[in-house]
Amino acid sequence: MSAAAQAASEPDPMAWIDELEAVPSAVTIGKFDGVHIGHRRILEQLRALAEPEGLATTVVTFDRNPLEVVRPDIAPLPLTSLDDKIALLRAAGADRVIVIPFTRATAAQPPQEFAERVLFDGLGARMLLVGDDFRFGFKGAGTPALLRELGEPRGVRVESIDDICFTDGRRVSSTWIREALELGRIDEANEMLGRRHRLRGDVVRGFQRGKALGFPTANLGTPVDGYIPADGVYAAIAHVDAGTFAAAVSIGDNPTFDGVQAKTVEAYLLDVDLDLYHRPITLELVDFVRPMHRFEGLDQLIAQMHRDVEHTREAVAPLLAG
């Protein structure tokens, strides 16, 4: 079956849009993976344009990266979960967050149909804010120029926004943030995110090795919400239902112990003894402490873990005190 025929056989991906109230809106649209400082600048500008006109600040995004459907072989893992993305967009000032299910039928929708049915009629867009490189609709055929052409007879204003760049001229992007995380450059990733990178999960029972060594850890079960960075030890802030604590976080396959192949995320909470099994934990990564290393014996490992804890305490204590 061809892609077009498969798309045609799927349910109408936009049927739900007809049930929405068309509120006069200022609209922006995109993946918003990570909701980084560039995304938040878009929301600031959108809100500045919307408020004088009495328009609702509306963000349109997708339930997954479109590449997961059209090019799954190159689709990146998301920086945040969908729930996190929605919460971050609302915190950044969005009055409405509209999540579009992205399917093959969605990808096959002509750009004119998407603009008219979803943006203009479905959402009531009176103003659109997009990047100059924004593309939408089947094979990315839709452009800002097309939006202006379609919007002008309806009185819809289409504005462009410049990229957010650092002093070296590089554009802030979700791709760059992933690259920084893959290299353990937490400071760099956090600067672009405008917040600390987070990992979330429920605590599950592990191999109990940390407890035997005097460092009982909370093991995050899979799947972990959030992009897992490079293997290593990190200083972090742990949020659990009992409070907020400094935590030394180990990410990797425990190379000192033979036979351990699965990548794990484990957090040792400093100065507290809690039963966290089957309870949620959120880890905000503050600093990269060291890469993973295979130690010759447990004495060396324990000595290094004490140093990791002190590094973590120094990095995190001022943040908790503030």
Side-chain angles (χ1 to χ4, degrees):
M1 181 184 293
S2 68
Q6 184 174 349
S9 68
E10 292 183 3
D12 182 353
M14 296 298 154
W16 56 273
I17 200 75
D18 301 323
E19 305 299 321
L20 288 181
E21 182 181 1
V23 177
S25 299
V27 177
T28 189
I29 179 171
K31 295 188 292 290
F32 294 99
D33 185 20
V35 192
H36 54 62
I37 59 173
H39 297 143
R40 290 208 287 282
R41 182 72 63 84
I42 292 173
L43 265 291
E44 289 173 8
Q45 185 168 333
L46 187 67
R47 197 158 192 87
L49 292 169
E51 287 182 345
E53 305 293 330
L55 302 175
T57 303
T58 301
V59 175
V60 178
T61 190
F62 306 102
D63 67 340
R64 69 200 70 194
N65 189 316
L67 286 175
E68 291 183 32
V69 174
V70 298
R71 284 294 307 276
D73 55 316
I74 62 170
L77 293 172
L79 291 170
T80 61
S81 68
L82 178 59
D83 287 344
D84 253 2
K85 177 166 71 170
I86 294 170
L88 287 166
L89 287 169
R90 291 191 181 281
D95 297 319
R96 295 197 299 170
V97 179
I98 307 299
V99 179
I100 294 177
F102 200 92
T103 65
R104 287 188 177 278
T106 312
Q109 190 171 34
Q112 181 171 343
E113 179 185 334
F114 180 85
E116 293 178 344
R117 185 177 178 189
V118 177
L119 301 178
F120 301 146
D121 297 335
L123 298 179
R126 298 294 178 265
M127 185 180 299
L128 289 164
L129 182 64
V130 296
D132 286 330
D133 61 351
F134 174 65
R135 298 293 181 270
F136 66 100
F138 183 58
K139 293 187 176 180
T143 63
L146 177 61
L147 286 176
R148 291 187 179 94
E149 179 185 332
L150 297 173
E152 185 175 0
R154 296 168 173 260
V156 177
R157 177 177 159 197
V158 179
E159 297 280 350
S160 297
I161 186 169
D162 294 331
D163 292 333
I164 307 302
C165 299
F166 281 137
T167 53
D168 63 359
R170 188 173 182 184
R171 180 174 70 92
V172 174
S173 69
S174 303
T175 299
W176 185 5
I177 294 170
R178 273 188 288 271
E179 290 174 0
L181 291 171
E182 287 166 3
L183 294 171
R185 295 176 180 170
I186 293 302
D187 287 347
E188 186 178 323
N190 288 351
E191 184 179 5
M192 288 185 282
L193 287 167
R195 57 180 173 81
R196 300 181 194 102
H197 182 59
R198 293 194 293 245
L199 301 175
R200 283 198 179 115
D202 290 333
V203 177
V204 299
R205 191 170 297 277
F207 293 105
Q208 306 294 302
R209 292 194 179 96
K211 185 176 182 179
L213 298 175
F215 298 89
T217 59
N219 290 42
L220 274 66
T222 56
V224 175
D225 283 347
Y227 195 90
I228 299 176
D231 290 1
V233 177
Y234 297 81
I237 297 172
H239 301 276
V240 295
D241 51 14
T244 299
F245 307 94
V249 177
S250 172
I251 296 175
D253 58 3
N254 296 304
T256 300
F257 298 97
D258 293 329
V260 180
Q261 296 180 346
K263 189 167 186 171
T264 60
V265 179
E266 307 174 52
Y268 170 65
L269 277 58
L270 277 58
D271 308 320
V272 66
D273 183 13
L274 297 171
D275 179 2
L276 297 175
Y277 289 126
H278 311 299
R279 291 155 69 182
I281 186 170
T282 298
L283 303 172
E284 293 187 4
L285 302 185
V286 173
D287 190 23
F288 181 77
V289 177
R290 64 172 175 87
M292 276 295 181
H293 180 72
R294 183 180 178 89
F295 294 92
E296 295 303 319
L298 293 183
D299 289 344
Q300 289 185 16
L301 173 59
I302 291 170
Q304 182 60 58
M305 291 170 76
H306 280 290
R307 290 191 289 270
D308 296 342
V309 166
E310 288 312 306
H311 184 135
T312 296
R313 194 186 308 279
E314 291 174 8
V316 176
L319 302 175
L320 295 180

